[in-house]
């Protein structure tokens, strides 16, 4: 029996802030499938701590937010894009609140008798402007959005469904502009590959932190969307700009636990293991400098002392304040035997955010008709060479709205081409799963060792060779064996690693998050130049 073909007006891949926001908007008029590879809440969004940056404070303005974003972006942001997204921010945040999102409010009423939101501060922001739900903002966003999705009869959520590859007119042998007609999806429960046909597909698969050995990201962040779009022929840009978050908890038993920048926003100070504050040698904003500067400073401090971590100290603040403002971090650290009201927190940088991605307009259009990309998977020009903290949830929210508005106004027709079932060929069950896991480890370690916070051309070339060898092995596996989610993720991670390294080698300068010791300064001729990769067909 052949696997089912599903027909929906729109297919959304991913159930983070970008995918869910878009699905809710278009579901007012259309039938929508949300395909997501684990349970619905599992996403980078779900782990967001600091919050959403949007102008709501009386002392703030969109112009100031624009200035901070451009300054963090180190000359590579698209100013018009920045202005449009940040201007739209407050209205979209207000809509999220109407849907049921509960941001933390100030404890006391203001003199005008109103209760305002408690605004957090993070690195690179000149004002307090981060709306948050204590230190677990993402969990509250997912709760609010998923509750609304559950009440929407036009949306069906396919959990444990893994999107593999797009079905495009080019792949079907048609000439003319490339158009996306559908997507092949692995149902992880049955092991069958199903076909989803739609008017258009929204790619909202998030980032690729898992390409590095140490990351703040959950296991789902394997860069699938970038790899799929690249294979389908879309341009991918600026992948060398991987943001390392400066403060991930260092503990042998803690997997990927972030300690929000808001801790530094509330006065937390970075110290070496010897107890010395070191950020003042690196930036006038000290511990609240932009993230690329702080991550590099920690990296150099760890190399100088030979220690495996540095310390983040907030013990000078009252214990009651710390427990109330950061309950998630307080409780999690306590489980590891660390009382953050009494002891400094051991922290290390870890891969956190993909600033590049599938080239897209603010309303999600990519090079392929019928394929939209929104959120961390996309590269719109908002973040440039270094994302300003808490601008990414905002980008997902705003761009999902703009994409939905545009497609509702002019919905494309279904593609009337026959779509072949997924070809299993002579595939057999993979009995050498250990090889898959070894390849995973090797890629992640290579990326960590050779393509990390500080790079050199020699190390990048070494990484390129290793990844090319692994790619060859993986391709052979891919065609020989039945597809599993582990194998699919391995193939995607290898592609994304290749793209990061190739982009890094293309940029002969240091800018923002890309720091190459062989070209230690920014080169003016590279300002405003994206590194763009397209697959040679
Ligand atoms: P995600 O939220 O990552 O969602 C991607 C979805 O796609 C997931 O549901 C995933 O399962 C699914 N998916 C992926 N591949 C496939 C596939 N092949 N098939 C089917 N489904 C697939 N940003 C801020 O602005 N403020 C913060 O405070 C903040 N804190 C953060 C803290 C942490 C620990 C992390 C990891 C990130 C943080 N970020 C923060 C970044 C921000 O959370 C993300 O950039 C943002 O949530 C991305 O949203 P998204 O909708 O694009 O993708
Ligand atoms: C944090 O809370 O430190 C993360 C914020 C972000 O990545 O934008």
């Amino acid at each position: 029996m052949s696997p089912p073909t599903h027909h929906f007006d729109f297919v959304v891949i991913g159930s983070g802030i970008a995918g869910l926001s878009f699905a809710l908007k278009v579901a007012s008029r259309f039938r929508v499938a949300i395909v997501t590879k684990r349970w619905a809440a599992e996403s980078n969004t779900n782990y967001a701590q600091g919050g959403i940056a949007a102008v709501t404070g009386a002392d703030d303005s969109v112009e100031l937010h624009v200035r901070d974003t451009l300054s963090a972006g180190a000359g590579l942001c698209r100013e018009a894009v920045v202005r449009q997204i940040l201007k739209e921010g407050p209205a979209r945040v207000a809509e999220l609140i109407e849907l049921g999102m509960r941001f933390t409010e100030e404890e006391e009423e203001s003199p005008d008798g109103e209760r305002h939101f408690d605004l957090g501060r993070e690195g690179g922001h000149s004002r307090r402007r981060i709306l948050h739900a204590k230190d677990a903002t993402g969990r509250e966003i997912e709760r609010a959005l998923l509750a609304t999705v559950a009440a929407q009869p036009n949306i069906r959520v396919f959990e444990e469904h893994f999107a593999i590859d797009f079905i495009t007119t080019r792949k079907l042998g048609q000439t003319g502009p490339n158009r996306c007609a559908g997507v092949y999806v692995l149902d992880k429960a049955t092991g069958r590959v199903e076909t989803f046909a739609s008017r258009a597909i929204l790619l909202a698969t998030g980032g690729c932190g898992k390409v590095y050995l140490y990351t703040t990201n959950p296991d789902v962040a394997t860069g699938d969307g970038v790899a799929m779009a690249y294979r389908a022929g879309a341009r991918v840009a600026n992948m060398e700009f991987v943001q390392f978050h400066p403060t991930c908890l260092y503990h042998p038993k803690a997997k990927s636990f972030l300690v929000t920048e808001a801790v530094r926003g509330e006065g937390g100070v970075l110290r070496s293991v010897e107890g010395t504050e070191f950020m003042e040698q690196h930036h006038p904003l000290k511990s609240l400098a932009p993230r690329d500067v702080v991550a590099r400073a920690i990296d150099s401090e760890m190399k100088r002392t030979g220690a495996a971590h540095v310390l983040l100290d907030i013990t000078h603040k009252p214990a009651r304040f710390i427990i109330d403002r950061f309950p998630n971090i307080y409780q999690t650290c306590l489980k590891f035997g660390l009382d953050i009201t009494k002891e400094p927190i051991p922290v290390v940088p870890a891969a956190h955010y993909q600033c590049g991605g599938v080239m897209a307009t603010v309303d999600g259009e990519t090079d392929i008709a019928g394929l939209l990309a929104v959120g961390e998977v996309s590269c719109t020009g908002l973040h440039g060479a270094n994302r300003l903290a808490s601008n990414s949830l905002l980008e997902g929210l705003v761009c999902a709205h703009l994409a939905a508005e545009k497609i509702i106004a002019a919905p494309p027709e279904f593609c009337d081409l026959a779509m072949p079932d997924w070809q299993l060929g002579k595939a057999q069950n993979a009995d050498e799963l250990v090889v898959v896991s070894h390849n995973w480890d090797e890629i992640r370690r290579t990326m960590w060792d050779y393509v990390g916070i500080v790079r050199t051309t020699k190390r990048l070339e070494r990484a390129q060779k290793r990844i090319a060898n692994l790619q060859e092995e993986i391709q052979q596996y891919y065609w020989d064996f039945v597809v599993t989610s582990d194998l699919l993720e391995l193939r995607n991670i290898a592609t994304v690693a290749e793209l990061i390294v190739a982009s890094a080698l293309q940029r002969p300068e240091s800018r923002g998050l890309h720091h190459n010791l062989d070209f230690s300064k920014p080169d003016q001729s590279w300002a405003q130049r994206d590194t763009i990769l397209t697959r040679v067909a």
Side-chain angles (χ1 to χ4, degrees):
M1 201 174 63
S2 58
T5 295
H6 304 276
H7 291 267
F8 285 87
D9 290 305
F10 297 111
V11 173
V12 171
I13 309 176
S15 50
I17 192 167
L20 296 178
S21 304
F22 176 87
L24 282 169
K25 298 249 160 174
V26 291
S28 58
R29 300 249 314 265
F30 297 98
R31 289 188 62 241
V32 185
I34 300 177
V35 169
T36 191
K37 69 179 173 177
R38 298 307 314 276
W39 58 99
E42 187 63 349
S43 56
N44 274 3
T45 301
N46 201 42
Y47 296 88
Q49 293 188 357
I52 303 187
V55 171
T56 60
D59 66 340
D60 202 1
S61 70
V62 172
E63 268 322 299
L64 283 175
H65 193 178
V66 168
R67 201 186 64 188
D68 295 345
T69 302
L70 295 177
S71 158
L76 209 64
C77 300
R78 295 272 168 273
E79 190 165 338
V81 166
V82 172
R83 199 155 262 121
Q84 186 178 359
I85 293 177
L86 302 189
K87 199 167 151 209
E88 188 82 24
R92 303 288 69 89
V93 167
E95 237 171 38
L96 192 59
I97 295 166
E98 268 169 43
L99 282 185
M101 169 77 199
R102 294 180 294 235
F103 287 111
T104 302
E105 294 177 341
E106 282 179 342
E107 264 178 24
E108 284 167 26
E109 279 181 4
S110 63
D112 57 14
E114 283 194 35
R115 202 176 284 274
H116 294 285
F117 290 116
D118 180 53
L119 298 178
R121 184 159 179 209
E122 291 179 5
H125 287 274
S126 58
R127 293 288 185 278
R128 282 189 172 268
R129 65 166 71 98
I130 322 292
L131 293 123
H132 61 96
K134 300 275 184 183
D135 59 349
T137 309
R139 206 187 302 156
E140 172 58 14
I141 292 175
E142 285 287 316
R143 184 206 59 75
L145 290 175
L146 284 170
T148 317
V149 163
Q152 173 48 263
N154 266 351
I155 301 180
R156 182 166 163 203
V157 182
F158 292 78
E159 291 185 315
E160 302 292 339
H161 276 63
F162 192 118
I164 305 175
D165 266 321
F166 299 117
I167 306 164
T168 58
T169 49
R170 191 183 287 172
K171 276 192 199 156
L172 295 175
Q174 303 280 307
T175 50
N178 202 7
R179 151 118 211 244
C180 185
V183 58
Y184 291 121
V185 175
L186 171 71
D187 176 346
K188 290 165 70 182
T190 63
R192 296 200 307 179
V193 177
E194 302 175 350
T195 304
F196 282 70
S198 61
R199 296 171 188 268
I201 291 180
L202 179 88
L203 188 59
T205 46
C208 67
K210 292 294 287 187
V211 80
Y212 284 90
L213 191 57
Y214 302 111
T215 176
T216 63
N217 292 189
D219 290 347
V220 290
T222 51
D224 300 348
V226 166
M228 287 167 73
Y230 178 70
R231 284 195 290 272
R235 281 175 304 163
V236 169
N238 293 350
M239 289 297 288
E240 68 274 36
F241 299 110
V242 176
Q243 185 168 68
F244 289 80
H245 195 291
T247 57
C248 190
L249 175 64
Y250 175 80
H251 187 280
K253 293 206 174 121
K255 187 183 167 199
S256 317
F257 186 70
L258 182 81
V259 180
T260 174
E261 205 157 295
V263 169
R264 281 173 280 139
E266 298 301 339
V269 170
L270 286 163
R271 297 184 196 282
S272 70
V273 281
E274 298 138 346
T276 320
E277 283 187 38
F278 56 87
M279 277 310 299
E280 53 202 25
Q281 307 153 35
H282 297 274
H283 199 278
L285 287 171
K286 300 183 196 167
S287 291
L288 269 184
R291 231 170 244 185
D292 55 333
V293 177
V294 182
R296 274 197 298 277
I298 295 179
D299 185 66
S300 106
E301 199 60 22
M302 284 164 56
K303 284 179 179 142
R304 185 187 67 76
T305 60
H309 60 82
V310 295
L311 298 169
L312 174 58
D313 191 357
I314 190 158
T315 53
H316 53 283
K317 297 290 270 192
R320 210 179 64 82
F321 168 79
I322 298 171
I323 296 167
D324 180 59
R325 177 65 179 83
F326 302 110
N328 175 32
I329 296 171
Y330 173 73
Q331 288 298 341
T332 304
C333 288
L334 212 53
K335 275 193 224 141
F336 294 115
L338 183 78
D339 182 346
I340 67 167
T341 66
K342 300 200 174 90
E343 305 156 81
I345 313 168
V347 289
V348 281
H352 181 62
Y353 185 84
Q354 163 195 303
C355 292
V358 181
M359 283 187 92
T361 60
V362 283
D363 35 31
E365 281 185 3
T366 69
D367 294 333
I368 302 175
L371 177 64
L372 309 176
V374 170
E376 191 168 342
V377 71
S378 68
C379 180
T380 60
L382 172 65
H383 307 306
N386 177 35
R387 174 181 66 104
L388 183 68
S390 289
N391 265 357
S392 45
L393 291 170
L394 185 74
E395 184 187 41
L397 191 65
V398 168
C399 293
H401 165 82
L402 297 173
E405 259 196 341
K406 185 152 185 192
I407 209 142
I408 290 171
E413 292 301 324
F414 278 94
C415 220
D416 59 4
L417 290 169
M419 278 182 266
D421 284 346
W422 175 263
Q423 290 302 307
L424 281 176
K426 290 190 229 103
Q428 300 158 14
N429 275 319
D431 51 4
E432 288 186 67
L433 286 178
V434 67
V435 180
V436 172
S437 102
H438 280 175
N439 285 351
W440 255 88
D441 290 349
E442 197 171 336
I443 291 172
R444 298 182 67 204
R445 192 167 284 283
T446 301
M447 292 300 285
W448 186 259
D449 289 343
Y450 298 136
V451 198
I453 297 171
V454 176
R455 302 161 178 179
T456 65
T457 302
K458 199 166 156 196
R459 279 191 241 153
L460 290 173
E461 283 168 352
R462 226 175 250 170
Q464 192 172 44
K465 272 196 203 124
R466 286 185 187 202
I467 287 159
N469 287 342
L470 286 161
Q471 284 271 41
E472 232 175 81
E473 208 171 296
I474 293 163
Q475 286 310 321
Q476 186 196 335
Y477 245 80
Y478 187 74
W479 294 116
D480 282 354
F481 295 107
V482 161
V483 287
T484 62
S485 53
D486 283 346
L487 183 52
L488 292 169
E489 285 180 341
L490 174 66
R491 179 171 77 134
N492 290 334
I493 266 211
T495 301
V496 171
E498 177 194 318
L499 295 175
I500 294 173
V501 175
S503 309
L505 279 167
Q506 265 193 23
R507 185 172 288 279
E509 62 162 353
S510 286
R511 179 177 299 279
L513 297 159
H514 173 65
H515 195 80
N516 184 337
L517 293 176
D518 294 314
F519 309 94
S520 60
K521 298 232 155 46
D523 175 344
Q524 216 13 59
S525 69
W526 274 83
Q528 291 291 311
R529 268 170 79 179
D530 295 321
T531 35
I532 299 176
L533 299 171
T534 331
R535 186 172 179 223
V536 185

